[in-house]
């Protein structure tokens, strides 16, 4: 599954030189490194760890990263997709910046 997620990441970020939709990173390698660092810190809440939820997710740049931690020592990214744009707030409209967020039904 991780190979599939890596391919999804590359597809979302664009293959060709200069072709990218990222706002804060320059390429897929930078996103991968940042996502790996975030996951290695185990961002799950204590409650989530106790309940042993199957999937966890976070948004980085304009991408949703869905992962699972089947054991307490190893994580696996299962899906990378474009983040779903939410309805712009008045602050977003004034700054021109978009907000992204996960839709639970998507994963």
């Amino acid at each position: 599954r991780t190979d599939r997620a890596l391919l999804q990441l590359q597809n979302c970020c664009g293959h060709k030189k200069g072709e990218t939709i990222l706002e804060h990173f320059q390429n897929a390698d930078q996103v991968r490194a940042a996502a790996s660092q975030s996951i290695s810190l185990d961002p799950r809440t204590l409650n989530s760890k106790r309940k042993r939820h199957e999937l966890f997710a976070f948004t980085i740049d304009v991408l949703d990263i869905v992962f699972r931690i089947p054991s307490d020592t190893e994580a696996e990214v299962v899906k990378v997709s474009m983040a779903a744009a939410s309805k712009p707030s008045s602050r977003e409209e004034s700054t021109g910046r978009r907000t992204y967020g996960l839709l639970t039904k998507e994963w």
Side-chain angles (χ1 to χ4, degrees), residues 13 18-31 61:
C13 293
E19 174 191 328
T20 184
I21 50 87
L22 300 172
E23 293 182 2
H24 304 288
F25 293 93
Q26 294 179 354
N27 56 47
D29 291 334
Q30 290 179 350
V31 175
D61 205 308

Side-chain angles (χ1 to χ4, degrees), residues 48-83:
S48 294
K49 289 177 187 179
R50 281 191 291 254
K51 289 185 177 182
R52 297 282 187 196
H53 291 154
E54 182 66 24
L55 294 176
F56 304 91
F58 61 94
T59 300
I60 187 167
D61 205 308
V62 296
L63 303 172
D64 288 337
I65 310 293
V66 180
F67 67 100
R68 66 187 193 100
I69 302 179
S71 67
D72 288 334
T73 59
E74 190 173 312
E76 175 183 26
V77 175
V78 294
K79 181 179 177 184
V80 177
S81 62
M82 295 295 299

Side-chain angles (χ1 to χ4, degrees), residues 1 4-5 7-8 10 13 27 29 36 40 42-43 50 56 58 63 65 70 74 76 79 86 88 91 104-106:
R1 289 184 179 181
R4 189 170 127 201
L7 182 60
Q8 291 170 343
Q10 291 169 346
C13 293
N27 56 47
D29 291 334
S36 294
S40 72
D42 196 357
R50 281 191 291 254
F56 304 91
F58 61 94
L63 303 172
I65 310 293
E74 190 173 312
E76 175 183 26
K79 181 179 177 184
S86 62
R91 181 173 182 223
T104 304
K105 291 180 182 177
E106 288 184 11

